[in-house]
Amino acid sequence: QVQFVESGGGLVQPGGSLRLSCAASERVFSSHGMAWYRQAPGKQRESVAAISLGGNTNYAPSVLGRFTISRDNDKNTLYLQMNNLKPEDTAVYYCNSLRATITPWGRGTQVTVSS
């Protein structure tokens, strides 16, 4: 049963912007805080941004001031606006609940920052 479908990734130059989207199942989205995660080659998956059911947000220090997480509860969709992208932001980006407990994970969306 598909729970998450991520989209919006691509190839962008350093300093560029992308907006990621995650379409989630209504059952999950309506009852969980949500987060964006990323996994770079050879590295562990890490949380980059989180948003509670009430809209409170939290960011990893590496993306603070550059990324903005938001949610549309009517559309069951999570967003990640990424500005001033850096090569170190290159990774596959995923969405899941705050505790990353929902399975299966989606396929993710590839973000590549390169000149």
Side-chain angles (χ1 to χ4, degrees):
Q1 183 176 359
V2 176
Q3 304 286 7
F4 308 109
V5 179
E6 299 93 348
S7 62
L11 173 63
V12 63
Q13 292 186 343
S17 298
L18 284 172
R19 188 192 194 204
L20 306 184
S21 298
C22 167
S25 69
E26 190 275 339
R27 180 184 66 83
V28 169
F29 203 79
S30 64
S31 58
H32 288 83
M34 297 294 296
W36 282 99
Y37 302 83
R38 68 185 180 188
Q39 186 167 21
K43 295 187 177 181
Q44 287 190 332
R45 188 175 293 168
E46 63 174 348
S47 173
V48 296
I51 185 167
S52 70
L53 278 169
N56 294 319
T57 59
N58 193 31
Y59 298 92
S62 60
V63 307
L64 185 63
R66 300 189 297 121
F67 290 11
T68 302
I69 188 172
S70 61
R71 62 188 295 159
D72 186 330
N73 293 328
D74 291 332
K75 296 182 178 179
N76 298 319
T77 302
L78 185 71
Y79 301 101
L80 186 67
Q81 177 66 44
M82 305 186 297
N83 298 328
N84 190 22
L85 282 160
K86 303 177 179 181
E88 51 264 42
D89 295 318
T90 295
V92 179
Y93 285 70
Y94 305 86
C95 63
N96 206 304
S97 66
L98 283 178
R99 297 185 179 182
T101 55
I102 308 301
T103 58
W105 286 73
R107 292 186 174 184
T109 186
Q110 175 70 49
V111 172
T112 302
V113 185
S114 175
S115 56

